[in-house]
Amino acid sequence: MNETAAPPEVLRVAIVGAGPAGCYTAGFLRKRWPQAAITVFDRHDAPYGLIRYGVAPDHLGTKAIAKQFDRLFARDGVTFAGNTDIGTDVSLDQLRADNDVVVLATGLWADRVIETFHTAPGTGAAAPLAGVYGSGRLTRLINGHPSESVEGLTIGRRTVIVGNGNVAADLVRLMLTPADVLASHGVAADVIHALTAGPLEHIDVVGRSPVGAAKFDVAMIRELGRLADVRFTSDAAPDAGAPDAGAPDAGAPDAAAPDAADADGKAAAIRELVAGSPEAAGRTVAFHFGWTPDRVTGDGRVSAVTFTATGAAGGAGTAGTAAGSASLELPADSVCTAVGFTETDGAHISRASVASPRADPDRGRLDDGLYAVGWFRRGPVGTIPANRADARSVADAIIADLEASFIPTPTSLT
């Protein structure tokens, strides 16, 4: 009787989350360990997370990043396991028992809520006003996310976008894009109708930072200049540029003082956008800088939004005022908050719940053989290139740990 030889032992790696951070990590580990069994799990039936459901559909160049990940699964032997919710279909403990290395790359996709702002006075936290939407929900809707619905969504004629980052700029552009163009990018008809039925006539974009410390990229503002029939205005002072280095957007998740050149570039981009737009147009967009969200008001549905001055150094729009000493009230049919992302309530996996005393978050290490990468590791800061850099760093840490015998080493790799 011939004995059947045992299969060779190989390193087994499980990555939870098929967004950019997870896919980049898989790629870096594949280069180091060509023979490892690498599986990327995702609760959706299709991979690429943020690229598929978060990147604006008209940003085709960014969407094209997914092509390199196609090669990862089609050519490089990495397995994609969709429709698998870790915590429901498979426990994290079981996944760790079945693999030598587990990497959590689940991201953060719940819309951040501003306490005391999202509900009208007296309604209580459990009763948000109708007409207030998070940017995450809107971008997922626009990108055809299977779990989102347009039910209850009405943008109206006047909307206020809270936040002054790239997501806010995306919303401005997409909301003012003609219906036929949205359709050409694959946006569903019911979503187009919800965005354009108002029709939208005016958008206020309000951020707590001064113009020089706003979170948008200059390219995103210049892109707005290609919109037809839009008049842009701004309350930033004509000579606004480098902000007081001691007054970044202290309440923002990634608050940091910008450098002077970056601040000057952002201020110049806004000035050029305003100067280059027509004196009269059918639609208007007003940028407001230096205003902190205070409250939404309305009877069952939002009708107005109030902001207070961030402070004397907080923005050109409130120069010379103390924090909270001035207010800005804007009428609105709807409000869209673009103020960052956080963990989902009731999520099966949170970083705090799985981190052990042996955790080293700076290297992405949560426990022996358990790692975190991307937004799940460092919070909702940075775009796809930042997640690539983070994936390389964490992959290097995993490799170093294995080589230092922190992870039991399969015999085939020794």
Side-chain angles (χ1 to χ4, degrees), residues 45-60:
D45 61 0
Y48 311 145
L50 176 65
I51 296 175
R52 185 180 297 275
Y53 300 119
V55 174
D58 57 341
H59 280 179
L60 301 180

Side-chain angles (χ1 to χ4, degrees), residues 202-240:
H202 181 82
I203 301 175
D204 289 289
V205 183
V206 190
R208 80 172 80 200
S209 303
V211 63
K215 303 301 183 293
F216 59 74
D217 291 333
V218 167
M220 296 289 287
I221 295 302
R222 289 175 175 163
E223 192 174 3
L224 296 179
R226 294 200 288 268
L227 291 168
D229 192 32
V230 182
R231 169 64 176 159
F232 292 96
T233 65
S234 166
D235 67 3
D239 58 350

Side-chain angles (χ1 to χ4, degrees), residues 149 162 218 222 267 292 296 301:
S149 164
V162 182
V218 167
R222 289 175 175 163
T292 297
V296 294
R301 181 180 178 86

Side-chain angles (χ1 to χ4, degrees), residues 28-375:
F28 289 128
L29 294 181
R30 168 56 76 222
K31 288 181 180 178
R32 176 63 181 83
W33 294 321
Q35 70 276 48
I38 301 175
T39 303
V40 180
F41 294 87
D42 201 286
R43 63 193 179 91
H44 297 115
D45 61 0
Y48 311 145
L50 176 65
I51 296 175
R52 185 180 297 275
Y53 300 119
V55 174
D58 57 341
H59 280 179
L60 301 180
T62 305
K63 290 276 191 186
I65 293 173
K67 292 181 180 177
Q68 65 181 283
F69 299 145
D70 287 339
R71 293 193 293 271
L72 185 72
F73 296 114
R75 187 191 64 189
D76 297 340
V78 173
T79 300
F80 173 67
N83 282 326
T84 307
D85 189 8
I86 305 303
T88 301
D89 301 311
V90 181
S91 71
L92 180 59
D93 288 343
Q94 185 61 54
L95 196 69
R96 296 184 65 184
D98 292 343
N99 293 273
D100 303 293
V101 176
V102 173
V103 184
L104 302 179
T106 55
L108 300 172
W109 54 275
D111 285 300
R112 177 174 167 248
V113 172
I114 305 171
E115 296 295 335
T116 74
F117 174 74
H118 279 78
T119 56
T123 61
L129 276 178
V132 181
Y133 314 109
S135 62
R137 180 193 174 193
L138 293 175
T139 54
R140 288 191 296 273
L141 266 173
I142 291 169
N143 281 288
H145 192 286
S147 299
E148 296 291 355
S149 164
V150 297
E151 183 177 357
L153 176 65
T154 304
I155 296 300
R157 295 179 180 273
R158 293 186 65 103
T159 193
V160 173
I161 297 176
V162 182
N164 54 17
N166 288 339
V167 175
D170 270 342
L171 290 179
V172 171
R173 189 183 69 259
L174 292 170
M175 287 179 175
L176 297 178
T177 295
D180 62 328
V181 176
L182 290 175
S184 72
H185 291 301
V187 181
D190 58 345
V191 177
I192 294 173
H193 179 75
L195 293 177
T196 62
L200 194 55
E201 297 173 347
H202 181 82
I203 301 175
D204 289 289
V205 183
V206 190
R208 80 172 80 200
S209 303
V211 63
K215 303 301 183 293
F216 59 74
D217 291 333
V218 167
M220 296 289 287
I221 295 302
R222 289 175 175 163
E223 192 174 3
L224 296 179
R226 294 200 288 268
L227 291 168
D229 192 32
V230 182
R231 169 64 176 159
F232 292 96
T233 65
S234 166
D235 67 3
D239 58 350
D244 186 326
D249 184 351
D254 55 348
D259 62 47
D262 184 60
D264 284 343
K266 290 179 176 178
I270 290 293
R271 286 196 300 270
E272 291 166 5
L273 180 68
V274 170
S277 66
E279 290 292 333
R283 304 174 298 180
T284 53
V285 176
F287 286 95
H288 308 267
F289 297 98
W291 298 98
T292 297
D294 182 41
R295 64 187 182 275
V296 294
T297 53
D299 183 10
R301 181 180 178 86
V302 62
S303 60
V305 193
T306 302
F307 299 82
T308 59
T310 300
T318 57
T321 62
S325 64
S327 64
L328 173 69
E329 181 171 330
L330 300 169
D333 303 316
S334 61
V335 176
C336 307
T337 58
V339 293
F341 301 91
T342 188
E343 290 185 345
T344 307
D345 288 341
H348 297 302
I349 301 173
S350 68
R351 200 177 72 181
S353 67
V354 298
S356 79
R358 298 176 293 281
D360 183 356
D362 288 342
R363 300 177 66 248
R365 190 165 183 262
L366 297 173
D367 197 0
D368 296 339
L370 181 65
Y371 295 84
V373 69
W375 282 11

